[in-house]
């Protein structure tokens, strides 16, 4: 549900009642990672950093695509702002 509402957010599932099936399902639905409690704080912080890096990389790709679109079709910038 989180990924449907905010597609760029990276979800780390933290559970004390894990099963292989729930882990697979969570990953299929878009979770970045699936970890079991108890988890060491340094390990959790590493997972969070990895998720942040993935989101940053995805945002950079989106921005690069937008810049390339503007470079390819510079007049489209003006037509979009008129419609908004």
């Amino acid at each position: 549900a989180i990924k449907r509402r905010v597609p760029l957010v990276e979800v780390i599932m933290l559970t004390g009642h894990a099963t292989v099936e729930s882990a697979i399902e969570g990953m299929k639905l878009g979770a970045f990672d699936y970890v079991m409690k108890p988890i060491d704080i340094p390990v959790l912080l590493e997972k969070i950093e990895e998720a942040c890096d993935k989101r940053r990389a995805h945002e950079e790709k989106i921005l690069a695509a937008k810049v390339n679109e503007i470079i390819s079709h510079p007049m489209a910038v003006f037509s979009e702002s008129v419609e908004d």
Side-chain angles (χ1 to χ4, degrees):
I2 294 169
K3 293 292 283 186
R4 281 193 305 270
R5 292 185 74 158
V6 188
L8 289 182
V9 76
E10 294 300 335
V11 176
I12 299 172
M13 297 175 62
L14 178 63
T15 182
H17 304 286
T19 64
V20 172
E21 293 80 16
S22 66
I24 291 170
E25 185 67 19
M27 300 301 278
K28 281 182 182 178
L29 292 172
F32 172 76
D33 208 338
Y34 189 98
V35 295
M36 288 277 298
K37 292 191 281 184
I39 186 168
D40 292 330
I41 296 301
V43 173
L44 181 58
L45 291 173
E46 183 178 319
K47 298 288 183 189
I48 292 169
E49 186 66 35
E50 291 171 6
C52 288
D53 290 345
K54 181 178 178 184
R55 179 179 175 147
R56 248 183 248 113
H58 195 167
E59 288 173 337
E60 288 172 6
K61 286 180 183 178
I62 291 169
L63 182 58
K66 288 180 181 180
V67 168
N68 286 336
E69 180 66 22
I70 290 169
I71 291 170
S72 299
H73 307 296
M75 296 308 291
V77 172
F78 297 109
S79 63
E80 287 178 13
S81 62
V82 170
E83 293 173 6
D84 291 340

